[in-house]
Amino acid sequence: MVRMRRLRAGSNLRSLVRETAVTINDLVYPVFIKEGKDIKEPVASMPGIYQYSCDRFGWELERIVNAGIKAILVFGIPKHKDETGSEAYNEHGVTQNIIREIKKKVPDIIVIADVCLCEYTSHGHCGIISGNEILNDETLEPLAKMSVSLARAGADIIAPSDMMDGRVAYIRKALDITGFKNTPIMSYSAKFASGYYSPFRDAAQSAPSFGDRKTYQMDPANGREAVRECENDIAEGADIIMVKPALAYLDVIKKVSECTNYPVAAYNVSGEYSMVKAAALNGWIDEKRIVMENLVSIKRAGAGIIITYHAIDAARWIKEE
């Protein structure tokens, strides 16, 4: 008889042979910064997550640092929105200002700047529009201007999430010629048109005012296409590739990690977070156990970087191990 249970007999023995471990170094915490003063607004659909104004974010930044988290992903929410998303590349815009403030207070923390127009446009789409069409090539220039502006503010990593074709190459060229050749790009390479994003649209105030994003985000049914998207972004100059969402796309994370030798990030998105929090608040599940199991599954699938709203709690639980 093969006795597989021999290596499960005690906690120390199980730890000794454990194949996958999530560490605090794997975690990236997303934050939402809203233009204005004295703002700390709860996101109703994401228990425990808040929008902060720049002047109120210091408390949250301290909590992040004390948890041991070394990287954050920044989303800005401006007061002024227009059809072209011009606030996205305002040198004194909400995102640029908070990046400067964060780097002044905690120089060593890695600031990843999300690059997309959806939070900045009056129509909520990720690109320039003409009628009901989202224009690809016309969107590349504002994305590049936004990337350079965020790098100039102090962003350590530029993370385009718009899903326009060719944007990684366009951004890479813009960064290089403006003196940011050493600024990495973490591309949302395989970003699916997912129902799991709904709570995020409350948090970032970025719901589209018409139609949906299925003409530029990926069809959830396509796995092989996701690999091609990642390979394209690598060829264009991406340093890190991302799969989003995570839990419903573990097979895609696995394929991408096996087909490329690049760092792979996965975004444990708002809907995945909110379902766990809702069940935990109702007493239906053990929150710690479920969260850590989910994060281990993402790591086991092949993601070395996990962007998650659970990061602060997970960091605490990891320390308690």
Side-chain angles (χ1 to χ4, degrees):
M1 183 184 294
V2 177
R3 295 190 181 274
M4 302 292 288
R5 290 178 55 186
R6 286 181 186 135
L7 299 180
R8 302 172 194 159
S11 61
N12 287 342
L13 190 53
R14 290 192 296 273
S15 296
L16 184 67
V17 297
R18 187 163 293 140
E19 298 173 20
T20 307
V22 175
T23 73
I24 296 174
N25 291 337
D26 301 328
L27 304 176
V28 177
Y29 188 56
V31 298
F32 300 98
I33 309 300
K34 190 172 185 177
E35 189 172 9
K37 298 286 186 183
D38 197 30
I39 297 169
K40 182 186 176 184
E41 294 180 1
V43 179
S45 55
M46 297 179 70
I49 301 300
Y50 295 82
Q51 298 170 333
Y52 292 93
S53 55
C54 191
D55 61 310
R56 291 287 300 274
F57 185 65
W59 175 84
E60 180 75 339
L61 182 60
E62 185 176 338
R63 201 165 71 99
I64 293 165
V65 171
N66 289 341
I69 293 167
K70 297 178 176 64
I72 57 176
L73 175 60
V74 178
F75 296 93
I77 306 162
K79 283 182 180 177
H80 172 73
K81 302 189 180 196
D82 57 33
E83 283 227 335
T84 60
S86 60
E87 279 295 301
Y89 44 86
N90 179 350
E91 295 295 337
H92 299 285
V94 58
T95 314
Q96 289 80 354
N97 287 342
I98 193 61
I99 290 172
R100 280 189 287 267
E101 197 65 27
I102 291 167
K103 295 304 284 187
K104 188 186 304 178
K105 291 180 177 177
V106 190
D108 291 339
I109 198 166
I110 296 170
V111 175
I112 304 168
D114 181 82
V115 170
C116 190
L117 299 185
C118 63
E119 294 114 282
Y120 303 88
T121 53
S122 52
H123 48 76
H125 275 287
C126 301
I128 304 299
I129 63 169
S130 176
N132 287 338
E133 182 184 358
I134 291 81
L135 303 175
N136 190 95
D137 295 8
E138 290 82 352
T139 301
L140 301 183
E141 181 63 24
L143 292 174
K145 288 168 69 175
M146 181 181 183
S147 299
V148 170
S149 177
L150 295 171
R152 193 176 287 125
D156 298 289
I157 298 174
I158 296 300
S161 63
D162 55 283
M163 287 299 286
M164 299 297 126
D165 291 335
R167 91 274 206 207
V168 172
Y170 208 98
I171 291 169
R172 181 73 274 160
K173 182 178 179 181
L175 290 171
D176 289 353
I177 64 176
T178 51
F180 297 103
K181 64 182 180 182
N182 292 321
T183 299
I185 293 175
M186 180 174 75
S187 179
Y188 290 63
S189 300
K191 181 178 180 179
F192 291 85
S194 171
Y196 284 99
Y197 303 149
S198 297
F200 174 90
R201 289 168 187 171
D202 295 335
Q205 298 176 357
S206 61
S209 61
F210 66 88
D212 54 38
R213 294 180 173 140
K214 292 180 180 178
T215 63
Y216 47 103
Q217 294 178 356
M218 283 188 59
D219 186 335
N222 295 355
R224 292 191 300 272
E225 183 186 0
V227 175
R228 295 204 307 274
E229 285 278 12
C230 292
E231 290 173 341
N232 278 344
D233 284 359
I234 289 169
E236 290 183 17
D239 302 280
I240 302 167
I241 51 179
M242 188 198 299
V243 176
K244 179 184 180 184
L247 294 175
Y249 299 86
L250 294 174
D251 60 318
V252 176
I253 297 171
K254 187 72 171 176
K255 281 183 184 178
V256 167
S257 69
E258 290 175 344
C259 292
T260 71
N261 59 357
Y262 272 62
V264 177
Y267 201 141
N268 180 209
V269 298
S270 58
E272 297 169 336
Y273 169 87
S274 294
M275 289 192 298
V276 170
K277 294 296 286 189
L281 288 168
N282 276 285
W284 297 337
I285 60 170
D286 180 332
E287 182 177 0
K288 174 183 175 181
R289 187 172 179 181
I290 293 293
V291 169
M292 295 312 298
E293 188 172 338
N294 284 346
L295 298 183
V296 164
S297 75
I298 296 167
K299 181 82 176 279
R300 190 182 64 242
I305 300 166
I306 303 172
I307 303 163
T308 178
Y309 303 95
H310 296 291
I312 291 178
D313 288 334
R316 184 177 74 254
W317 294 328
I318 290 167
K319 288 177 183 176
E320 292 170 354
E321 288 289 316

